Amino acid sequence: MTKRELSEQDIRDMYITPAVLDAGWDKFTQIRAEYQLTRGRVMVSGRLKTRGSSKRADYVLFYKPGVPLAVIEAKDNTYPVGGGLQQGAEYAQMLEVPFVFSSNGDGFLFRNSLPNADVYEKEIALEDFPSPQQLWDWWSAAKELTPAQELLVTQDYYSDGSGKLPRYYQALAINKTVEAIARGQNRILLVMATGTGKTYTAFQIIWRLWRAGAKKRILFLADRNILVDQTMTNDFKPFGAAMTKIRNRTTDPAYEIYLSLYQAVTGTEEERNIYKQFSPDFFDLIVVDECHRGSAADDSNWRDILDYFKGATQIGLTATPKETKDVSTTHYFGDPVYTYSLKQGIDDGFLAPYQVVRFDLDKDLSGWRPPAGMRDKHGNLIEDREYNLRDFDRSLVLEQRTKLVAQKVTEFLRETDPYAKTIVFCEDTDHADRMRRALANENADLMREDPRYVVEITSERGKDYLDDFIFPSSRYPVIATTSKLLTTGVDAQTCKVIVLDQRIQSMTEFKQIIGRGTRINEDQDKFSFTVLDFKRATELFSDPKFDGDPEVIYEPGPTDPPVPPDPNPDPDPPPVPEPRTKYVVHNVPVTVTARREIQYSKDGTPITESLEVYTRNTLHREFDSLDDFLRRWNAAQRKQVIIDELKDEGVFFEVLAAEYGQQLDPFDLICKLAWGQPPLTRRERAAKVRRRDAFTTYGEQAQRVLNALLDKYADQGVGPIEDVQVLKLEPFQHLGTPLEIVKAFGGKAAYEAAVRDLETQLYTDSA
């Protein structure tokens, strides 16, 4: 075979990989072929789901594991040497590496985007591929790293021996943080969406700094006990005997890695501030998990700790920087060194997409006013005024409203999955208790099976259920009612339903709540989640700040001197007012006036129409007419390219085909949905080709191959028959080796021409 007849994989094996190995790159630690960058966006319609195309680089080259340097994109020899450069540049941009190579086996087109490069792009021979040290020296010089800084930024990652590397965005967060510390930056903020592995990222940062000797004593602070325990048991486990948890208000200076609740080391009385048992310079590094929850507030206990250890490097981790007039995460830590957003995580396929079901209730929309002199069920005279959404479940309880919400939640679960893990966010613990009872009554049959079907998990009750609720393999509890306890930090991997019966005004709190559903757990069939909204909280999705950079509006006040104690305190301080009565009304009917289902497209805009309408509108945007579509389809050398492009726009071909209950080709789905053309199944299209006896011009072996390709198309669609690798699979293995099969057509170019002719026959309109 000539070089032009070789497949892309042959070009890699025979030319590109040998050239890289000859340049001194280690096969096991520095070269990663078919390197997966993204998983492919999960797309959901009802109970059906599919994944979009993932992004894979042909090669990523690493100076050391976790420290990428370059991307190589390969093409077969029918392409020019630079045919893969644009694709490689996209992957290099994701990895933030400056070097890109494209090759067709004849040589390399090399792009060097460093500002001090002598030439931006140039062709080099196969034997002139640069060594790892050469590329690193160029990049290190451009970064102006000192030898000491270089040693730190190339410090080894922790490895469990499996060869597993962090995801691309985790490596970026780790490397950027370590480099910032190497350059002397002492206040660092990392913003990463819930479910993207902040704690694992923190572990690798700490591990590298600790092993390098740059940071010898480290304090990891969190504000919930479960966060500390999860961290010690899971991500931080490799620290072993060097690690301790501060408990029982005792300190031991013999350890190197300390984990603690801030409540365990602080208090309102000076003697309870046990962190002061350490000297101010004891810790070299402090990492604050969920730092939006208080570390940036001037008057918070966290801030007292950070101020005491002000000489230490301090890293804040959060999914939701908090920016108000009184509190600013970025004012304290500075701008993020790296941000990985919820939208990007969903687009990459690492986070679960969501759909929204919004319920409008009549009393929420119109309000309610009690008749004059009306008393509630406890005999309290109800204040005569208009009550609305702001009041319900805070100052006034409509029991029929609680019952209706419980009914609608139960109906949804019964229609979809009665055992889908569900968190119901309520206004307060009283509301959470009432909602638990209402849901228990609506699900009495399931409660009889196991009384843990519905539980309350709040700061006051039910915390013993929390471990079972978040454990992926635990069936019970199924529904947890709460107010604030589950809003942040809880790793609820299998949560499939989030119920909002809480009025949410804080964007930070809203993002944290939504984050409870964003994790994907494929083993438990968790790929997406649904938000059931009863208080119009999901209107915050339309706010640009939901997944954008927070606006800094912090207004630091003047530093006032401490106020001395009053030498003559008032012996009779004014009494504390009694809490306002919460009225409970049991006989006011409440109804649902509207129910809307909303999905979100790739760009984050809501899809309020049906899947068919959305698909039709998308196709009409992409193609001017049926003739335009047919022209582009017939002109495409690979039909799968068009299919993949439409998948990336949110066209759910597998889902649509399943809903029609037929084995329809994407071609027929497009023509039917967009232009009303009658469809054919794949088997019907294959049968039409056979009736035409279209293969008589080919030899006997070639005819058998084309008939096998027709069978493959009927079973799996057009994508597999366009990939020459299909010749390595059944039934082609019985027809000869791939090389023998290609020779039967007269060479690779003739084989590819025969496949294109087969596709023309499949999609022709003639009988």
Side-chain angles (χ1 to χ4, degrees):
M1 295 178 70
T2 66
K3 186 185 285 189
R4 291 184 67 81
E5 294 178 298
L6 295 175
S7 68
E8 180 184 305
Q9 187 61 53
D10 294 332
I11 294 293
R12 292 190 213 173
D13 294 342
M14 298 170 64
Y15 296 96
I16 298 176
T17 299
V20 176
L21 291 172
D22 289 346
W25 295 81
D26 183 79
K27 180 178 181 179
F28 300 104
T29 62
Q30 294 181 308
I31 304 172
R32 289 294 180 114
E34 290 292 328
Y35 184 78
Q36 186 179 64
L37 290 159
T38 70
R39 296 289 307 279
R41 180 187 174 96
V42 175
M43 296 176 285
V44 179
S45 177
R47 298 185 184 186
L48 302 171
K49 57 187 174 292
T50 184
R51 275 194 184 270
S53 303
S54 63
K55 292 181 179 178
R56 289 178 179 269
D58 289 338
Y59 300 82
V60 175
L61 304 183
F62 292 82
Y63 182 58
K64 298 185 74 173
V67 184
L69 272 179
V71 171
I72 305 176
E73 199 61 27
K75 294 294 180 184
D76 65 47
N77 200 248
T78 62
Y79 287 85
V81 68
L85 192 69
Q86 186 170 333
Q87 189 175 357
E90 177 189 346
Y91 300 150
Q93 187 175 22
M94 292 178 67
L95 291 165
E96 297 191 23
V97 296
F99 307 118
V100 187
F101 298 86
S102 172
S103 179
N104 63 355
D106 291 339
F108 293 96
L109 182 60
F110 172 36
R111 175 181 289 181
N112 181 347
S113 60
L114 292 175
N116 58 351
D118 54 348
V119 179
Y120 183 61
E121 287 183 8
K122 62 181 178 182
E123 286 195 33
I124 59 174
L126 292 172
E127 60 270 20
D128 292 333
F129 195 86
S131 69
Q133 194 61 49
Q134 180 64 78
L135 291 185
W136 175 255
D137 288 345
W138 287 341
W139 199 7
S140 179
K143 288 173 174 281
E144 299 181 343
L145 295 175
T146 67
Q149 291 169 343
E150 211 175 308
L151 284 173
L152 187 54
V153 300
T154 59
Q155 174 64 38
D156 288 340
Y157 277 67
Y158 170 78
S159 173
D160 60 4
S162 67
K164 174 187 173 183
L165 289 176
R167 294 170 177 170
Y168 83 91
Y169 64 84
Q170 292 170 337
L172 278 170
I174 295 162
N175 293 339
K176 283 175 175 287
T177 301
V178 171
E179 184 174 331
I181 292 172
R183 294 182 184 278
Q185 187 173 329
N186 282 324
R187 298 291 181 270
I188 294 167
L189 179 63
L190 271 179
V191 178
M192 297 173 64
T194 300
T196 56
K198 290 191 299 295
T199 310
Y200 169 76
T201 300
F203 162 72
Q204 288 287 9
I205 291 168
I206 295 169
W207 177 271
R208 296 178 72 198
L209 296 170
W210 180 60
R211 295 288 291 182
K215 304 296 177 185
K216 298 179 181 178
R217 292 194 183 97
I218 295 101
L219 174 63
F220 181 89
L221 278 174
D223 72 336
R224 295 201 174 158
N225 200 53
I226 189 171
L227 299 180
V228 174
D229 291 342
Q230 284 179 173
T231 300
M232 290 188 70
T233 304
N234 300 323
D235 291 317
F236 279 36
K237 187 177 181 180
F239 286 124
M243 173 176 60
T244 188
K245 177 183 176 181
I246 299 175
R247 50 169 64 91
N248 300 325
R249 296 196 169 273
T250 58
T251 61
D252 184 346
Y255 294 90
E256 296 174 72
I257 312 294
Y258 294 78
L259 293 89
S260 178
L261 295 172
Y262 80 83
Q263 300 96 320
V265 293
T266 62
T268 55
E269 300 170 0
E270 182 61 25
E271 62 268 19
R272 297 183 70 81
N273 289 323
I274 67 162
Y275 65 87
K276 292 186 178 179
Q277 294 178 23
F278 297 107
S279 64
D281 61 354
F282 184 83
F283 292 111
D284 305 307
L285 174 67
I286 298 177
V287 178
V288 185
D289 195 22
E290 305 291 356
C291 68
H292 65 279
R293 291 182 59 82
S295 59
D298 292 344
D299 59 350
S300 74
N301 289 336
W302 292 39
R303 183 62 176 268
D304 291 340
I305 300 172
L306 298 183
D307 286 344
Y308 182 77
F309 297 111
K310 61 185 177 183
T313 298
Q314 297 173 7
I315 301 173
L317 305 175
T318 183
T320 54
K322 190 170 186 178
E323 300 297 337
T324 70
K325 290 185 177 180
D326 302 312
V327 177
S328 172
T329 312
T330 55
H331 184 266
Y332 182 81
F333 287 104
D335 292 332
V337 297
Y338 184 69
T339 297
Y340 189 72
S341 68
L342 172 63
K343 181 177 181 294
Q344 187 63 54
I346 293 174
D347 196 31
D348 286 345
F350 295 118
L351 295 180
Y354 51 87
Q355 55 188 356
V356 173
V357 181
R358 189 178 297 171
F359 296 86
D360 292 332
L361 309 185
D362 61 343
K363 298 300 185 292
D364 294 353
L365 298 175
S366 63
W368 177 77
R369 187 170 193 132
M374 182 178 182
R375 294 182 180 273
D376 75 352
K377 67 181 292 185
H378 301 302
N380 300 305
L381 181 65
I382 304 174
E383 181 183 351
D384 184 15
R385 66 178 181 87
E386 185 81 21
Y387 293 88
N388 56 34
L389 193 61
R390 291 187 177 130
D391 302 300
F392 296 145
D393 299 303
R394 288 181 176 270
S395 58
L396 181 134
V397 174
L398 297 178
E399 288 192 328
Q400 294 300 315
R401 186 188 183 284
T402 306
K403 182 178 181 180
L404 180 62
V405 171
Q407 287 175 347
K408 294 305 172 185
V409 172
T410 301
E411 286 174 8
F412 178 82
L413 292 177
R414 299 278 175 133
E415 292 168 0
T416 54
D417 176 7
Y419 293 94
K421 290 292 180 83
T422 301
I423 304 176
V424 184
F425 288 96
C426 303
E427 295 287 359
D428 53 27
T429 54
D430 169 66
H431 185 198
D433 178 57
R434 287 185 291 101
M435 185 60 70
R436 183 203 62 77
R437 282 183 276 137
L439 285 162
N441 287 330
E442 293 296 327
N443 294 277
D445 56 336
L446 297 173
M447 290 292 287
R448 292 186 187 100
E449 287 182 13
D450 195 304
R452 296 171 300 165
Y453 183 78
V454 184
V455 300
E456 176 190 346
I457 304 178
T458 61
S459 58
E460 298 179 7
R461 289 179 288 271
K463 285 191 282 188
D464 290 344
Y465 291 119
L466 183 55
D467 286 347
D468 285 337
F469 182 76
I470 65 178
F471 186 62
S473 299
S474 176
R475 189 173 200 180
Y476 298 102
V478 175
I479 304 174
T481 66
T482 190
S483 57
K484 301 292 185 184
L485 186 63
L486 301 182
T487 57
T488 184
V490 176
D491 189 9
Q493 297 179 23
T494 55
C495 176
K496 293 183 178 180
V497 182
I498 291 173
V499 180
L500 301 178
D501 200 25
Q502 179 186 113
R503 191 165 179 269
I504 303 169
Q505 298 298 296
S506 163
M507 180 62 77
T508 297
E509 184 178 6
F510 179 66
K511 291 173 72 172
Q512 285 289 333
I513 287 173
I514 295 304
R516 297 314 98 209
T518 55
R519 287 172 173 81
I520 288 176
N521 187 314
E522 297 190 11
D523 293 338
Q524 299 295 324
D525 196 37
K526 161 66 188 304
F527 290 89
S528 64
F529 66 104
T530 302
V531 182
L532 305 183
D533 181 13
F534 292 90
K535 290 205 171 169
R536 295 155 64 184
T538 53
E539 291 176 354
L540 288 169
F541 278 130
S542 61
D543 189 323
K545 294 192 289 292
F546 173 70
D547 208 39
D549 295 327
E551 181 183 357
V552 180
I553 56 175
Y554 178 59
E555 296 178 358
T559 304
D560 297 322
V563 178
D566 187 348
N568 300 302
D570 187 344
D572 296 311
V576 177
E578 290 291 325
R580 186 172 179 173
T581 301
K582 181 184 284 189
Y583 305 114
V584 180
V585 180
H586 68 281
N587 56 357
V588 173
V590 181
T591 61
V592 174
T593 61
R595 181 186 188 274
R596 288 174 288 168
E597 295 191 17
I598 305 171
Q599 290 180 301
Y600 290 83
S601 66
K602 180 181 177 182
D603 63 1
T605 57
I607 305 171
T608 54
E609 62 265 42
S610 70
L611 181 62
E612 286 192 18
V613 173
Y614 173 73
T615 302
R616 187 178 300 114
N617 291 341
T618 301
L619 293 171
H620 287 165
R621 285 197 307 270
E622 293 293 318
F623 306 103
D624 294 335
S625 63
L626 175 60
D627 287 341
D628 179 40
F629 165 68
L630 293 174
R631 182 169 55 254
R632 289 166 61 180
W633 181 269
N634 292 328
Q637 286 200 349
R638 294 184 66 246
K639 315 306 181 192
Q640 191 64 37
V641 172
I642 294 178
I643 295 169
D644 289 342
E645 288 173 351
L646 289 172
K647 278 185 178 180
D648 288 340
E649 292 301 319
V651 176
F652 302 75
F653 287 116
E654 292 88 347
V655 174
L656 289 165
E659 287 187 356
Y660 281 109
Q662 303 176 60
Q663 288 188 318
L664 294 184
D665 189 284
F667 174 88
D668 287 279
L669 286 168
I670 292 170
C671 292
K672 174 179 173 56
L673 286 170
W675 296 286
Q677 300 296 303
L680 295 175
T681 66
R682 294 194 301 269
R683 292 197 177 280
E684 287 171 337
R685 287 197 171 276
K688 286 180 68 175
V689 174
R690 287 197 170 96
R691 285 199 299 271
R692 294 192 199 105
D693 203 16
F695 305 146
T696 55
T697 58
Y698 296 95
E700 183 178 343
Q701 185 182 12
Q703 288 187 41
R704 288 199 298 269
V705 171
L706 290 170
N707 275 293
L709 287 171
L710 266 182
D711 290 337
K712 185 68 70 174
Y713 165 81
D715 289 337
Q716 299 180 20
V718 72
I721 73 172
E722 293 185 331
D723 186 350
V724 72
Q725 300 300 315
V726 75
L727 299 180
K728 297 180 179 179
L729 306 176
E730 294 288 349
F732 302 97
Q733 290 177 337
H734 299 292
L735 301 177
T737 66
L739 184 59
E740 290 170 342
I741 290 173
V742 168
K743 281 185 175 179
F745 287 86
K748 184 182 178 185
Y751 168 78
E752 291 175 342
V755 172
R756 287 194 295 273
D757 180 54
L758 171 60
E759 291 179 337
T760 300
Q761 295 289 334
L762 281 168
Y763 298 114
T764 188
D765 290 332
S766 57

